[in-house]
Amino acid sequence: GDSVTQMEGPVTLSEEAFLTINCTYTATGYPSLFWYVQYPGEGLQLLLKATKADDKGSNKGFEATYRKETTSFHLEKGSVQVSDSAVYFCALGGSEKLVFGKGMKLTVNP
Amino acid sequence: NAGVTQTPKFQVLKTGQSMTLQCAQDMNHEYMSWYRQDPGMGLRLIHYSVGAGITDQGEVPNGYNVSRSTTEDFPLRLLSAAPSQTSVYFCASSYSEAVGYGYTFGSGTRLTVV
């Protein structure tokens, strides 16, 4: 079945550092890909998405490109802030229901 | 606009007790679902509904019941609570079952079974 593998962390960065969170997937057909973010004590929020190959999703300075050839959807941000401290989930929507990775906790220190 | 509302936010149950976790959305979404979140396990789908009167099982349905009598509400019932059901529960909704739309999540219910 469909599955998502992502970096699990936890990861600690200094403010203004570059962030990459790797995400790869296994799916039949042409799934949609998502990044969700969970701030402390809250539910998940959709951060960005891409629905077809070579699409780039972007939001709040974060970007991810749907790479069909490498079955990847890596999340990047050029300069993280303390307010980006959260848990990040990669997710896949294919022939089955939305499937989530295990999440990666990011802490950004001033 | 409230989005997806879950109640209660916190609950402690004794083993064997029953309870209902409430979920309501005001976005006229057809698709609703329940997930549980456990450390190192990500989110796992418990039950879902594609519309009023229609429900189906997800990945981990044992010990839980659901019903969908209205578009707005999708309660999750624990029939006889067990310590293994200690978790954070999230309700999510979407305009359509088509997964390209993405989901809107509630803020969660933290359940402890002692």
Side-chain angles (χ1 to χ4, degrees):
Chain A
D2 298 346
S3 67
V4 172
T5 302
Q6 66 169 108
M7 290 172 58
E8 295 184 26
V11 169
T12 301
L13 296 175
S14 297
E15 205 165 26
E16 299 184 0
F18 183 84
L19 170 71
T20 299
I21 306 176
N22 289 340
C23 173
T24 57
Y25 67 90
T26 302
T28 55
Y30 303 95
S32 297
L33 299 171
F34 305 84
W35 277 101
Y36 281 83
V37 59
Q38 184 181 28
Y39 299 106
E42 299 183 11
L44 279 73
Q45 302 175 22
L46 180 63
L47 180 60
L48 53 84
K49 69 176 184 179
T51 57
K52 61 182 186 295
D54 301 324
D55 267 3
K56 177 185 284 187
S58 62
N59 187 22
K60 298 182 180 180
F62 291 89
E63 292 184 341
T65 301
Y66 189 161
R67 301 286 189 198
K68 188 173 185 296
E69 64 276 14
T70 56
T71 62
S72 64
F73 193 54
H74 305 323
L75 183 69
E76 295 183 338
K77 186 173 186 181
S79 176
V80 294
Q81 306 300 311
V82 172
S83 57
D84 294 326
S85 297
V87 180
Y88 292 83
F89 292 90
C90 185
L92 174 156
S95 57
E96 302 173 0
K97 305 307 171 191
L98 206 59
V99 175
F100 288 87
K102 293 185 177 181
M104 194 207 81
K105 182 176 182 179
L106 171 68
T107 301
V108 180
N109 292 325
Chain B
N1 53 340
V4 178
T5 302
Q6 290 185 238
T7 55
K9 291 190 180 302
F10 303 94
Q11 184 70 50
V12 178
L13 287 180
K14 294 182 178 179
T15 297
Q17 286 185 318
S18 63
M19 79 159 293
T20 300
L21 281 62
Q22 302 291 344
C23 175
Q25 53 89 11
D26 62 357
M27 298 171 285
N28 204 32
H29 283 173
E30 289 295 324
Y31 181 83
M32 296 185 74
S33 56
W34 278 100
Y35 287 86
R36 59 178 289 173
Q37 183 180 24
D38 302 292
M41 303 291 289
L43 278 83
R44 293 182 290 172
L45 181 65
I46 304 171
H47 285 285
Y48 65 95
S49 168
V50 299
I54 305 169
T55 64
D56 206 345
Q57 296 181 350
E59 180 185 357
V60 288
N62 292 340
Y64 307 95
N65 273 0
V66 293
S67 60
R68 184 95 181 269
S69 57
T70 67
T71 299
E72 294 78 18
D73 300 299
F74 191 45
L76 178 72
R77 298 182 185 85
L78 280 70
L79 308 175
S80 177
S84 61
Q85 294 179 301
T86 294
S87 186
V88 181
Y89 292 85
F90 288 100
C91 180
S93 72
S94 178
Y95 173 73
S96 166
E97 185 184 6
V99 292
Y101 285 94
Y103 293 3
T104 301
F105 281 81
S107 58
T109 294
R110 184 175 294 274
L111 176 68
T112 302
V113 182
V114 298

